[in-house]
Amino acid sequence: QLQLVESGGGLVQSGGSLRLSCAASGFTLDNYVIGWFRQAPGKEREGVSCISERGSATQYTDSVKGRFIISRDNAKNTVYLQINNLKPEDSAVYHCAGYWRPNAHCTRDKGRYEFWGQGTQVIVSS
């Protein structure tokens, strides 16, 4: 069973930083594209960022470019999302998700993803 477990969320003031982690359980992350998505109450789930299986390709949605950094450590079976200069509009539940695709770029299209974590909540106070 492919499981992803997110951690690192919390309550932070505007302008602060957090590092979210997405740990794989029961399988190794090699050959899997991993994406980070967020969903605020009453809004659609949004693809924030993704990273290819070796980390050579990344994507970001425009609203987080220059503030969020996605990375992965396959030896630790973990993908990270460093989020800096947080804004109240970044408040949401953040999920990581994955699909099997070696030697490929990544996509932020949520329909492409095959398995999801339960999420970690980020609340940014103004």
Side-chain angles (χ1 to χ4, degrees), residues 37 47 99 107-113:
F37 296 78
Y99 64 91
T107 177
R108 290 181 290 109
D109 177 1
K110 58 182 180 290
R112 186 63 180 87
Y113 287 77

Side-chain angles (χ1 to χ4, degrees), residues 2-123:
L2 305 182
Q3 283 191 314
L4 296 173
V5 179
E6 303 94 334
S7 62
L11 173 63
V12 62
Q13 288 188 329
S14 183
S17 298
L18 287 171
R19 188 174 81 157
L20 307 184
S21 298
C22 172
S25 176
F27 71 105
T28 58
L29 277 179
D30 298 48
N31 296 323
Y32 286 90
V33 171
I34 300 295
W36 281 98
F37 296 78
R38 66 185 179 186
Q39 189 165 20
K43 293 190 176 181
E44 291 280 325
R45 187 167 294 191
E46 174 189 26
V48 174
S49 182
C50 64
I51 188 166
S52 62
E53 30 77 60
R54 295 299 179 189
S56 58
T58 59
Q59 284 190 24
Y60 299 92
T61 191
D62 285 346
S63 63
V64 308
K65 285 179 180 176
R67 299 189 298 123
F68 289 19
I69 302 170
I70 191 170
S71 63
R72 65 191 298 156
D73 186 339
N74 286 350
K76 294 184 178 180
N77 231 20
T78 303
V79 173
Y80 304 98
L81 186 68
Q82 178 69 39
I83 46 180
N84 301 316
N85 191 20
L86 279 157
K87 304 176 181 181
E89 53 264 40
D90 294 319
S91 297
V93 176
Y94 284 70
H95 300 265
C96 62
Y99 64 91
W100 186 84
R101 192 74 172 102
N103 302 318
H105 296 286
C106 65
T107 177
R108 290 181 290 109
D109 177 1
K110 58 182 180 290
R112 186 63 180 87
Y113 287 77
E114 298 164 349
F115 50 95
W116 294 77
Q118 291 299 307
T120 185
Q121 186 157 34
V122 173
I123 301 173

